[in-house]
Amino acid sequence: MPFADSLILNVDDSEGARYAKSRILTRAGFTVIEAADGNSALLRAREDKPDLVLLDVKLPDINGFEVCRLLKSDPDTRAVLVLQTSASYIGVADKIRALEGGADNYLFEPIEPEELVANVKALLRLGKVERELRDVDRRKDEFLATLAHELRNPLGPIRNAVELLCRLDPNVPERQDKARQTILRHTGHLVRLVEDLLDVARISQGKITLHEERVELQTFIGSARESVTHIAESRNQALEVRLPAHEVWLSGDHVRLAQIVGNLLHNAFKFTPPGGVVKLSAEVIGQEILIRIADNGIGIDATKLDYIFDLFAQDGFTPDRVQDGLGIGLSLVRTLVALHHGTVSASSAGVGQGSVFEVRLPIDAVGSADDSAAVPGADDAGAARILVVDDNVDAADMLAELLGISGHDVKVAYNGQQALDRAAEFRPTYVFLDIGLPDMSGYEVAAKMRVLPGMDDAVLVALTGYGQARDREQAMEAGFDDHIVKPIDFAKVTSLDLQRRKR
């Protein structure tokens, strides 16, 4: 029978009524367990995980409405279907109360046996469809995360190869330079789309976390501005910036704060015609910083303001603008702002009248920070010995070439054992080490490398396609000094203090 594996929890304080309903359901092919009061029902639901609870409203300890509410509010039992019944509460208001409290259906007693069985079967079919949809959604999220991770691997070598060409031969004809810049620009766009795919999967799975620290306003604003410079230049658009003259410190994740502002700027430039103006301003209001991004672009229809921050929403989309993105950016902004205990809003005078986005975030302090650290080793000079370890040969070679033309002494290894042999012989001061190696994990390599003679003071940098806070923590726990997410941004590599451990 199609429902032979379905488990029903029958809850009724009347022994006779409970027996009658259990007999009807058992004869229909269901497996039935029983409870005579609300507390027993809650306990059995948690322990036995029934597919459906047949729940009478009038119970001796807790009424059925409250039992239903508790079942639906508990993560362990919220997916259990609830069919409420009553011979006493038979008004429309009672049915509405039950359904609003989470019940999946409500029947007035007495109930004909055929009607009871038909309702149970209908709810079980509904539950099966819901489980299948949840499973599809879960597999979709896993696919997006895997796809984004795999796409990261070829993007790094492509970007670094063009960077290498630019450094090896900086003075090239204009047409050749334009071709290089086109590759870099669109590779950057691909990287952005990949990051958005990863983030939407993280949002769906509730896995977005923050690496919190004290962050100064101008530092993350500066990072955001850099991320959209090429867009503004390519479209001949202007960015006007007005920031407080004094320092403003926030508690948050520098990368995510830059992403908030960067996404809003990217959105503003995207929907502003060539030659247009985008204005970025920030001001302290009480204990908050108000960041405002205004443009004179296409504006937002008033009917769309309510869902502009919804996932996959795309206002202003037309067939000739398919490059506009995935409809993820503003949804990410809302999520990240909420994680920083702030708010975001959008306004527009209408189509063709431009748009204004405002972000409000709590601030820690205004003024200079006493704990700002000086950059170590700023006066050091000379080349560092660097070992690059990656089983992706193109990625390893391109990074090594870039570091080499920057004046460093660089060796390459393509697996874990080769890395250990190179390290023992070369004694590098810096190691860029991929986590996913074919013969052993990067964590194992790092642990073995630390005990090699002369390697206890080396700086180990983890290279990985996974960029969650937990991934960084795991790298730090394994003995790494830093953590870089693929595709590797050469600017990030060169910003590291490659001289401070030079021996």
Side-chain angles (χ1 to χ4, degrees):
M1 299 182 71
F3 298 104
D5 295 330
S6 299
L7 179 64
I8 310 296
L9 172 58
N10 180 18
V11 186
D12 198 315
D13 66 329
S14 169
E15 186 174 351
R18 192 171 67 248
Y19 171 80
K21 286 185 282 189
S22 291
R23 182 174 176 81
I24 292 168
L25 294 171
T26 301
R27 294 184 66 175
F30 300 105
T31 301
V32 183
I33 57 177
E34 297 182 348
D37 57 64
N39 282 308
S40 299
L42 293 170
L43 182 62
R44 297 218 67 172
R46 294 190 191 100
E47 291 180 348
D48 297 296
K49 302 292 189 298
D51 297 290
L52 182 144
V53 177
L54 182 59
L55 179 61
D56 186 42
V57 172
K58 196 172 182 180
L59 298 174
D61 52 352
I62 312 173
N63 71 59
F65 297 125
E66 180 64 10
V67 173
C68 179
R69 188 192 68 78
L70 291 171
L71 286 171
K72 294 297 186 178
S73 62
D74 186 337
D76 293 332
T77 57
R78 67 176 49 158
V80 175
L81 297 163
V82 176
L83 173 56
Q84 285 201 296
T85 66
S86 181
S88 304
Y89 298 88
I90 56 174
V92 173
D94 300 315
K95 186 172 186 176
I96 292 173
R97 178 184 176 189
L99 296 174
E100 289 183 344
D104 297 283
N105 203 359
Y106 190 91
L107 297 178
F108 302 136
E109 297 193 54
I111 309 168
E112 291 295 327
E114 295 81 1
E115 183 184 8
L116 176 61
V117 172
N119 271 272
V120 169
K121 287 182 177 180
L123 288 179
L124 289 173
R125 285 195 297 269
L126 176 63
K128 182 175 182 293
V129 171
E130 288 181 345
R131 286 193 300 274
E132 290 173 349
L133 288 174
R134 284 196 299 269
D135 187 56
V136 168
D137 196 50
R138 176 186 57 78
R139 285 187 277 117
K140 178 262 297 178
D141 291 337
E142 291 174 353
F143 170 75
L144 286 177
T146 302
L147 173 66
H149 179 258
E150 291 302 316
L151 285 174
R152 279 175 155 173
N153 287 326
L155 288 174
I158 293 172
R159 184 163 60 185
N160 286 343
V162 181
E163 291 265 13
L164 180 61
L165 288 174
C166 294
R167 289 170 178 267
L168 288 173
D169 193 5
N171 300 313
V172 296
E174 182 180 352
R175 290 174 66 186
Q176 187 173 335
D177 182 62
K178 184 177 180 181
R180 289 176 176 177
Q181 295 306 316
T182 298
I183 296 173
L184 282 173
R185 184 166 63 253
H186 287 278
T187 303
H189 185 62
L190 276 174
V191 171
R192 184 186 183 90
L193 292 177
V194 167
E195 291 299 328
D196 281 354
L197 280 174
L198 273 176
D199 278 339
V200 73
R202 290 167 184 155
I203 288 175
S204 299
Q205 298 169 5
K207 291 183 178 179
I208 281 194
T209 54
L210 302 180
H211 178 63
E212 291 203 30
E213 58 185 344
R214 292 195 75 208
V215 185
E216 206 281 314
L217 173 72
Q218 298 203 33
T219 62
F220 71 82
I221 293 288
S223 298
R225 291 175 64 182
E226 289 176 10
S227 71
V228 296
T229 298
H230 67 281
I231 302 174
E233 291 176 349
S234 66
R235 295 168 61 85
N236 192 31
Q237 294 167 322
L239 174 61
E240 298 178 3
V241 180
R242 181 171 55 84
L243 302 177
H246 49 269
E247 293 180 340
V248 179
W249 292 84
L250 297 81
S251 177
D253 186 318
H254 179 279
V255 173
R256 294 303 191 177
L257 288 169
Q259 185 179 6
I260 290 169
V261 179
N263 280 11
L264 291 176
L265 285 174
H266 184 89
N267 194 71
F269 282 118
K270 182 171 63 177
F271 292 112
T272 297
V277 178
V278 174
K279 297 180 180 181
L280 166 62
S281 65
E283 61 177 317
V284 175
I285 300 177
Q287 295 300 308
E288 293 182 326
I289 184 73
L290 170 61
I291 301 171
R292 181 182 289 111
I293 295 171
D295 63 68
N296 60 351
I298 66 173
I300 306 172
D301 188 287
T303 61
K304 298 179 180 179
L305 283 171
D306 290 339
Y307 66 84
I308 195 70
F309 290 100
D310 290 349
L311 193 59
F312 304 123
Q314 288 188 316
D315 188 34
F317 177 82
T318 58
D320 63 332
R321 299 181 70 167
V322 293
Q323 77 278 10
D324 283 344
L326 305 174
I328 294 173
L330 291 181
S331 179
L332 287 175
V333 166
R334 181 173 61 182
T335 299
L336 295 175
V337 169
L339 286 173
H340 284 87
H341 310 292
T343 60
V344 60
S345 62
S347 60
S348 174
V351 176
Q353 301 297 310
S355 308
V356 178
F357 288 83
E358 293 186 345
V359 175
R360 294 177 181 269
L361 297 167
I363 60 175
D364 273 358
V366 176
S368 298
D370 298 327
D371 56 351
S372 58
V375 178
D379 297 329
D380 290 343
R385 292 193 302 279
I386 302 174
L387 175 62
V388 176
V389 187
D390 199 324
D391 62 326
N392 184 323
V393 175
D394 289 336
D397 290 349
M398 286 301 100
L399 180 57
E401 288 283 353
L402 280 168
L403 291 166
I405 65 172
S406 297
H408 301 294
D409 187 6
V410 187
K411 302 292 184 185
V412 178
Y414 305 115
N415 60 52
Q417 188 56 54
Q418 194 176 55
L420 294 172
D421 294 341
R422 291 272 196 279
E425 174 188 352
F426 183 50
R427 292 181 60 190
T429 54
Y430 241 92
V431 181
F432 291 93
L433 176 56
D434 183 31
I435 296 299
L437 297 173
D439 53 344
M440 64 183 83
S441 76
Y443 303 122
E444 295 175 88
V445 176
K448 293 180 179 181
M449 197 172 282
R450 282 294 188 201
V451 299
L452 293 174
M455 287 296 295
D456 58 315
D457 197 39
V459 177
L460 305 186
V461 181
L463 304 180
T464 174
Y466 299 97
Q468 284 294 88
R470 179 56 195 147
D471 301 314
R472 180 182 180 85
E473 291 169 7
Q474 188 175 359
M476 300 301 106
E477 290 168 1
F480 284 94
D481 299 284
D482 212 332
H483 175 271
I484 294 180
V485 178
K486 295 180 180 181
I488 302 166
D489 184 350
F490 189 65
K492 166 69 173 175
V493 172
T494 54
S495 70
L496 297 171
D497 185 14
L498 296 179
Q499 309 300 332
R500 64 187 178 93
R501 300 293 182 95
K502 182 172 68 67
R503 294 190 293 268

